Amino acid sequence: MKPRPPLPPQPYLVVGLARSGVAAALALRAASPDAAIVACDRATPAEAREAGERLSRAGVEVHLGTDGTELLLASQPPRTLVKSPGVPRQSPVVAGALEAGLEVVGELEIGWRLVANAFCAVTGTNGKTTTVELVGAIYREAERPVAGNVGSPVSGFAGTLPDGATVVCEASSFQLEDADRFAPETAVFLNFAPDHLDRHGDLDNYLA
C-alpha cells in the first residue's frame, strides 16, 4: 500500500452536511479527538437538523442556514476547509478559503488518508457505479474482502475494514477536483464525454 500523508492541519471547517460531509466530520473527530471541528450547511431541512444533532453529540460545532463564509473569520479560524462534492469550488466560502490560503480538500481525500487499505478507483463520465459493483462482485466471488463506496462515503470506512480488504471506489469529477494527494493503487478511467459543464465550465476543466 502507498503511504498516506498526514491529515491536513486543524481547525477544520466542514461545508455541506449531506452523507459525505457528516462522514468526513465524524472521521476527523475519531482521528483527532482534540481537533476543533466546525460544520455548516446553508440548508435547514429536517435532514440537516438531524445531521447537525448527530455531529453536535460528537463534539462538532454546527451552524445551519449559512454557507460558512463568516466562519472563515471566526476567533479561531479554520486552516483546512473540507467540502462535500456538491459544493462547487466557485462558491463564496471556497473562494474565500482559497484566497486566505487555506487547504481545501474533499471527503474522498480525507477518507483515503484515513483508510490504510488498497484502493481501486473508478472514474469516467458513465458506468462508474456499475463497474464498482462489478469489481466488488468479482472480489466476493474470489472470496477476497472488499468494500465499495456506492452510497457509502469513503471516510466512513475508517477504522472498520480488515487489513486485507480492498476499497473499490467510485470517484466522480466532483470528488476528484478536491483530491490533492489521492493515489489509488489501481485506477480505472472508463470513458469521457461532455457532461457537468455547468459545474466545470468547459471540457478542459472537466477532463483535468
Side-chain angles (χ1 to χ4, degrees):
M1 259 83 68
K2 296 177 180 177
R4 302 295 197 260
L7 288 171
Q10 61 112 348
Y12 302 109
L13 174 60
V14 179
V15 179
L17 296 185
R19 282 179 299 184
S20 292
V22 171
L26 292 174
L28 288 169
R29 169 55 70 227
S32 305
D34 298 325
I37 305 173
V38 177
C40 68
D41 196 297
R42 64 181 181 180
T44 56
E47 294 82 359
R49 291 197 299 272
E50 291 170 6
E53 291 169 1
R54 182 182 177 194
L55 292 176
S56 294
R57 290 194 296 270
V60 176
E61 181 183 329
V62 177
H63 298 260
L64 298 179
T66 175
D67 70 355
T69 305
E70 77 281 2
L71 299 174
L72 298 174
L73 304 175
S75 57
Q76 188 180 19
R79 297 177 63 192
T80 299
L81 186 148
V82 181
K83 76 178 196 64
S84 296
V87 179
R89 290 183 74 86
Q90 297 84 358
S91 65
V93 65
V94 178
L98 292 170
E99 184 177 351
L102 275 62
E103 289 197 41
V104 175
V105 297
E107 181 272 331
L108 174 62
E109 178 75 21
I110 294 296
W112 174 74
R113 295 193 192 192
L114 290 174
V115 178
N117 292 69
F119 271 64
C120 170
V122 180
T123 194
T125 304
N126 299 298
K128 296 183 292 296
T129 300
T130 301
T131 304
V132 166
E133 292 177 341
L134 172 62
V135 174
I138 292 170
Y139 270 80
R140 289 188 292 272
E141 185 68 19
E143 298 182 350
R144 298 284 298 275
V146 66
N149 74 327
V150 175
S152 301
V154 170
S155 54
F157 294 146
T160 70
L161 301 180
D163 290 342
T166 297
V167 178
V168 183
C169 171
E170 178 177 355
S172 72
S173 64
F174 292 1
Q175 293 169 302
L176 291 174
E177 72 176 355
D178 301 312
D180 178 22
R181 306 278 294 279
F182 179 60
E185 281 69 25
T186 303
V188 182
F189 188 2
L190 297 171
N191 47 55
F192 179 74
D195 202 0
H196 305 304
L197 299 187
D198 57 334
R199 171 77 171 254
H200 297 298
D202 57 46
L203 278 175
D204 288 340
N205 288 334
Y206 177 37
L207 181 58

